[in-house]
Amino acid sequence: MIRRILILFSFMWLFMAITCDNEPYDGDVIVNDIDNCLMAEELTTQALIGFANSDIESYNLLCQAYRDAIENQIEICGDEYGYLQDIIDGLGDCIIDDNNTTECEMAVVASALALEVLEDAISVEYMAACIAYREALENQIFNCGDDGTLLNKILELGNCEPDIFNVVGDWKLIVWQSDIPRDIDSDGIETSDYLTEIDCFNNETASFNSDGTGTLYYRESMEIEVSSPTNDPSDLEYSIECYEDIRTYGFTWTQEGDSITVTLNSDGTVLDFFRNGDVIFVAMRDFFVATSTSSNVDDIIQDIIWAYVQF
């Protein structure tokens, strides 16, 4: 599950690059980059579908085409957590022994690979990955036969639309994710999950009621100062003070697929939550603030993604 959370964070930062106007992002450049990345992902999906339907004669060619598409996607989109490289490593050199490998064995391998891609797919990729897996199963039935097990899997996939997600219940904050790693607690290790660096905000929760109402519970606040003992902007130390500050915010909410729109009753502020798997996320604009106490160090103000799990 943690791996899926990290994969989705990559998508979430792409989303924030489009919707936020903070420096150093430039809208036109980011949008073009994302268009190119989406095109590369589509080409990879099409190559996977082709590979899932390969036979002995076409296996090498279609495997290489799929591997090339993944490499192209890595070049354009990146692969921060190595997920795509894992697939490449699993493909190996795309060479099979025609004398010892049957069409059925190949179909089984292709189905297993397509299932792995589906299990790791984030919501925006689910339908394409599901279709690829469904076609791989159909190819496996054609080459191996079926006692009904594979057909039942196909029927379970249905039309490959994601299931409606039920957000009703209580949720707990577990992650503050940033795109800038920092060593806030001075342990010598930089991390992008700031919540692991700060000894507070351990019991922040949200409740979604079935009648479209809910409550955000904040139980602590913090003040952060940043300084440099050497007046070097790259040599930073943080001072953190956490204190009890119980606040509740009532809200109304609506849901469309994996998107949950929360509107605070107090001032009409809208928070856009997104769901993947068992986790919901919300991008908090300019939430992390560290006030500088050194002349050569600027204040730090940046966006944070909050991640909640149900409890």
Side-chain angles (χ1 to χ4, degrees), residues 94-146:
C94 284
I95 296 175
I96 62 171
D97 185 344
D98 292 351
N99 296 322
N100 296 322
T101 304
T102 67
E103 300 275 10
C104 176
E105 289 171 337
M106 290 174 48
V108 171
V109 170
S111 293
L113 176 60
L115 176 59
E116 181 180 349
V117 172
L118 175 61
E119 289 176 337
D120 281 324
I122 62 175
S123 296
V124 292
E125 300 169 344
Y126 176 86
M127 181 171 288
C130 177
I131 291 172
Y133 179 48
R134 187 174 63 194
E135 294 199 11
L137 290 174
E138 291 171 351
N139 186 53
Q140 185 176 340
I141 291 175
F142 178 80
N143 287 287
C144 305
D146 182 31

Side-chain angles (χ1 to χ4, degrees), residues 93-284:
D93 56 12
C94 284
I95 296 175
I96 62 171
D97 185 344
D98 292 351
N99 296 322
N100 296 322
T101 304
T102 67
E103 300 275 10
C104 176
E105 289 171 337
M106 290 174 48
V108 171
V109 170
S111 293
L113 176 60
L115 176 59
E116 181 180 349
V117 172
L118 175 61
E119 289 176 337
D120 281 324
I122 62 175
S123 296
V124 292
E125 300 169 344
Y126 176 86
M127 181 171 288
C130 177
I131 291 172
Y133 179 48
R134 187 174 63 194
E135 294 199 11
L137 290 174
E138 291 171 351
N139 186 53
Q140 185 176 340
I141 291 175
F142 178 80
N143 287 287
C144 305
D146 182 31
D147 61 0
T149 302
L150 300 179
L151 179 58
N152 285 336
K153 291 181 179 180
I154 292 174
L155 294 176
E156 289 173 0
L157 294 174
N159 59 6
C160 282
E161 291 185 0
D163 293 334
I164 298 299
F165 171 65
N166 184 12
V167 73
V168 173
D170 297 320
W171 298 78
K172 183 174 182 179
L173 179 68
I174 59 166
V175 171
W176 278 9
Q177 188 76 9
S178 167
D179 61 340
I180 303 175
R182 298 185 186 278
D183 180 14
I184 298 175
D185 61 1
S186 300
D187 65 353
I189 301 174
E190 292 186 342
T191 177
S192 294
D193 179 6
Y194 292 178
L195 205 56
T196 62
E197 301 277 296
I198 300 169
D199 190 21
C200 57
F201 294 95
N202 294 315
N203 196 28
E204 311 303 292
T205 60
S207 295
F208 289 81
N209 303 322
S210 59
D211 62 357
T213 65
T215 307
L216 293 174
Y217 297 92
Y218 296 158
R219 295 176 173 86
E220 290 184 280
S221 294
M222 71 176 181
E223 292 182 357
I224 302 178
E225 293 182 344
V226 60
S227 62
S228 173
T230 60
N231 256 347
D232 179 354
S234 64
D235 180 21
L236 301 179
E237 291 184 353
Y238 298 87
S239 174
I240 304 169
E241 181 180 355
C242 301
Y243 49 91
E244 184 177 344
D245 182 17
I246 298 177
R247 293 164 289 154
T248 59
Y249 296 90
F251 61 79
T252 58
W253 62 274
T254 59
Q255 180 179 358
E256 184 174 350
D258 289 338
S259 299
I260 304 103
T261 301
V262 168
T263 304
L264 300 186
N265 298 336
S266 57
D267 58 6
T269 296
V270 174
L271 301 175
D272 293 315
F273 284 78
F274 298 85
R275 169 259 181 176
N276 180 258
D278 298 326
V279 186
I280 59 174
F281 305 83
V282 60
M284 305 295 286

